[in-house]
Amino acid sequence: MKKLLLILLVYSFPLFLSALTGCDDCNPDPIRFGISNYKIYLGNAEKEDQYMYPPDTIAANDTVDFKKLSIAITGTLRSVVFHSQTKTGAEAWACDPAVIAIDKIKSIIVTSSASYNSTLPPGTHLSPVLSIARERWPQQAFFNFDTTPDRPAYYAYSIRLTQAPESSGLHRFTVKIDLLNGQSFTSTSAPVYIKK
């Protein structure tokens, strides 16, 4: 019996190796996704430059230091069908496939219901006082993100304030996201009291 198992293992090993391909030798079909909706909520993050998803949520009318406020953007994903045929029928991969966002961001506009400072009255895009990050991507000036061409639409972003408001006060943030495919999403947060 042991001899039979050994012979079976020896002869089936090459077949197993042909199905299991290493990351250096393979490129499994990527997983493609699109965005069907974006929503926002407010979070309380510990560090200024930290990407927090999901952050501790902030309830309506809570008070938060501007350095800890995170405007979290979360997307609802839709899968994109991609057909691929294999020569051997079934394949097992030694590495994870790439995850590719097929939608592209045209713009993200963040406004507040209250004046942030003398140059940013209510309803003005707050980009000069914002930074943005996504998973495995550090916070960067919003201007850098805004001027980058061909921005994939990922499922989660964290927007942070980089400067204190001119005075403490109640703010209600609205985020409008436009995709290149014509989709547009607008979401408004609960009011929050921001300390300078």
Side-chain angles (χ1 to χ4, degrees):
M1 182 69 171
K2 288 182 182 179
K3 225 177 197 182
L4 179 62
L5 285 174
L6 181 61
I7 290 169
L8 185 60
L9 182 62
V10 167
Y11 285 105
S12 63
F13 190 70
L15 181 61
F16 176 74
L17 281 180
S18 71
L20 182 64
T21 308
C23 284
D24 293 336
D25 302 327
C26 75
N27 189 10
D29 291 333
I31 298 170
R32 291 172 169 80
F33 70 90
I35 300 293
S36 62
N37 195 13
Y38 273 119
K39 293 200 180 283
I40 67 166
Y41 64 94
L42 301 179
N44 195 2
E46 290 301 312
K47 298 179 184 172
E48 285 181 56
D49 61 347
Q50 183 179 20
Y51 170 80
M52 288 294 296
Y53 178 77
D56 294 333
T57 55
I58 297 172
N61 300 310
D62 274 358
T63 299
V64 65
D65 186 299
F66 85 94
K67 293 177 187 173
K68 293 185 176 183
L69 179 68
S70 173
I71 302 170
I73 299 172
T74 58
T76 304
L77 304 182
R78 62 179 167 78
S79 62
V80 177
V81 178
F82 180 77
H83 179 70
S84 174
Q85 289 184 325
T86 61
K87 295 176 187 170
T88 60
E91 294 178 277
W93 300 105
C95 51
D96 290 333
V99 178
I100 298 174
I102 63 159
D103 292 327
K104 305 287 184 196
I105 290 179
K106 181 178 179 184
S107 65
I108 297 179
I109 308 282
V110 182
T111 60
S112 174
S113 60
S115 177
Y116 202 79
N117 59 34
S118 58
T119 61
L120 298 170
T124 304
H125 186 16
L126 298 175
S127 64
V129 296
L130 298 178
S131 67
I132 188 169
R134 66 175 172 84
E135 190 176 12
R136 291 188 224 115
W137 191 44
Q139 288 285 329
Q140 64 173 306
F142 199 87
F143 174 80
N144 294 343
F145 171 81
D146 218 18
T147 57
T148 302
D150 201 34
R151 294 166 291 178
Y154 287 101
Y155 65 91
Y157 294 92
S158 172
I159 295 177
R160 307 292 298 273
L161 297 168
T162 59
Q163 294 175 24
E166 216 164 66
S167 58
S168 299
L170 202 63
H171 291 263
R172 189 177 196 124
F173 296 98
T174 298
V175 177
K176 183 174 186 282
I177 302 172
D178 291 327
L179 302 183
L180 285 177
N181 66 10
Q183 287 179 286
S184 184
F185 311 103
T186 302
S187 186
T188 300
S189 73
V192 63
Y193 189 85
I194 300 177
K195 292 187 300 185
K196 53 183 278 191

